[in-house]
Structures are given as C-alpha cells and as structure tokens.
Amino acid sequence: MTALTRLVLVGNQLSALPEWLGNLTALTELGLGGNRLTVLPESLGNLSALTWLGLSGNRLSVLPESLGNLTALTWLDLADNQLSVLPEWLGNLAALTRLDLTDNQLTMLPESLGNLTALTQLYLTDNQLTVLPESLGTVAALTRLDLAGNQLTVLPEWLRNPTAREQPVNASVQAWIDDTCTTVAGAADLDAVLDRVPSSGLSLISDDGVRSLHITLAGGQSGLVWEDEDEMMLSWGPVPPGAPLGLTAGDAEYAFSDPWFTAEGADPFEITEGQARQAGHEFLRTGRRPNNVQWVDKP
C-alpha cells in the first residue's frame, strides 16, 4: 500500500509496530493513539511526508532518534504517555505548529524547543515541571501555552515581561557572500540567502561585529565556524541524545577520546545541510553560539 496517505489505528491493543510501516512513505497522517505501545520502530523516521503523528494514550517512555527526520510534521501529539525527558532533536521539527505533551512525567524541557519557530500551540498540562527553558521565550509565534498542573514556583522573566521574548541581540544580522553584504532581518530573508550559498560558504555577522557564524552547505559534508571575542570553534557533529547542552571539547584530539564526540560510521566533523541551516536560524534568533551541534576549538 505504498500510495496510502492516511492510516488510523487509534483505539486498538497494539503493543508493537512492524518495521515495514516505514515503507509507507506517502503517508501524511498516522494515528496510533489509544494503544499499548512502549517503543516505536526506528523506521518511522522514513515517513518524511508526515504532517500529523498521533501517539497519545500509549506507554511511551522514550522516542527513537529517527523521529527527528520528520521535518514536515506540523502536529505531534504525545499526550498521556510516560515521558520523563525529551530529546534535543525535537528542535529539528521546525515545521511544528502544535505540540501536545499533556499528562506525561516531564521534569524539564530541552533548550532546543526554542528552534520551533513556527510553534503556535504548546500543551504541557499535568507534568512535573519546575522550570521553563529560556529559549522558549524566543518562540514569537506561540499563541497558546498550557502549564496547568505542574510544580512551577516562579515565572520566567520572558513570561512576566512580554518584551523579554524579543531577540536578545538584534533583529537582524549581516550576511557576507564573498565581498557582498546583505541585511538579514528575519527567517525568510535568511532562507533566501542560504539558498544561494556558493561552495565557499557565507558569514553571518552580528550588527556589532562581535559574533560571527560561517556556514558551508555541502549536503552531508556541511560545516560551521563560530567566532566571538573569546573563542573560535568548529562544528563537530549533532548533539547526541542526553548530552549536556552546548557541549564543547578543548580540541579535536581530546574529542576523539570522549564518547559524546564520537559517531560510529561517520566523520564527526561533517554535519548535514539541515543542521547547518538550523544553526544559522538559531544564531539569527539568539545572537549566541548555536546549541544544535557540538563544538571543538579551531586548530
């Protein structure tokens, strides 16, 4: 059934899913709510056309890393599961407009939620949250944020003061391609610039000239160079699940001996074009070194 676009299996007694489900690559909607699932097959990450994935009312405590490939998703429903942590790759789902995490066991949220720039609705009711990530305050499209039934004792500044949700540095950066400068005032401008990057790459520079991010787009061999007043660093690879936020290593030799900085079967200095683009958008939004990749000191 490779032409299937909608599959609804809600309200059954499924405890496992077959790997071949990932062969239904035309699917745009997949409803799996109200079952007994404890794990999901990695092959679900092959369903790159999915715009809706319904997983509410199961028994999930972990999510497969491959779901980070579902970059067309606009609605992800994970309500009523057993999730206690969320993976950093959740921030890769940049098309999400609705994310439902109601009735889980979350005690904290990843900073990468700030990468969900299209998000308008975020449901976090009935979890165990005590703090909210600062990056959430940069999601300017958010119109609904449900936090009932948590353990918050203080509100973050960006929620108490709406102006604190504005970009902390500037609303624009300068994009240099060879000797030509273009002002980038928003996400659409940045995408237009990134779509015409030459092989030599481009540099994004803060208005004050202090911070810069050089981006090279070359498919799976893309890369980043970060520079500010204190450091110059190279992108190493995507941040693995569970790694400390903004993970860095002193130098490449040390990184090769650190399990956080190794990726079996891949050159760790190579990141994907999508990860490089995501880093550019994060820099535009925050003015800080992107957190979606690991970094090592430039030799």
Side-chain angles (χ1 to χ4, degrees), residues 221-251:
Q221 298 180 344
S222 300
L224 306 167
V225 180
W226 168 262
E227 185 173 4
D228 62 15
E229 291 178 307
D230 302 315
E231 58 191 8
M232 182 178 289
M233 309 196 82
L234 296 171
S235 60
W236 175 271
V239 177
L245 187 65
L247 192 65
T248 62
D251 54 53

Side-chain angles (χ1 to χ4, degrees), residues 210-228:
V210 173
R211 296 163 301 279
S212 68
L213 180 68
H214 186 79
I215 303 175
T216 304
L217 299 182
Q221 298 180 344
S222 300
L224 306 167
V225 180
W226 168 262
E227 185 173 4
D228 62 15

Side-chain angles (χ1 to χ4, degrees), residues 8 21 47-48 60 89 109 123 147 149 154 156 167 175 184 196 213 218 220 225-226 234 253-254 265 277 298:
V8 179
L21 200 62
L47 304 179
S48 57
L60 299 171
W89 58 250
L109 302 172
Y123 299 88
L147 293 164
V154 63
Q167 296 186 39
V184 175
R196 54 185 179 89
L213 180 68
V225 180
W226 168 262
L234 296 171
E253 183 178 359
Y254 168 76
R277 283 175 170 264
K298 188 178 186 300

Side-chain angles (χ1 to χ4, degrees), residues 96-98 116-122 139 141-145:
L96 274 186
T97 60
R98 178 171 177 173
L116 303 180
T117 55
L119 198 65
T120 61
Q121 300 177 59
L122 177 56
V139 184
L142 204 59
T143 60
R144 178 165 183 171
L145 176 60

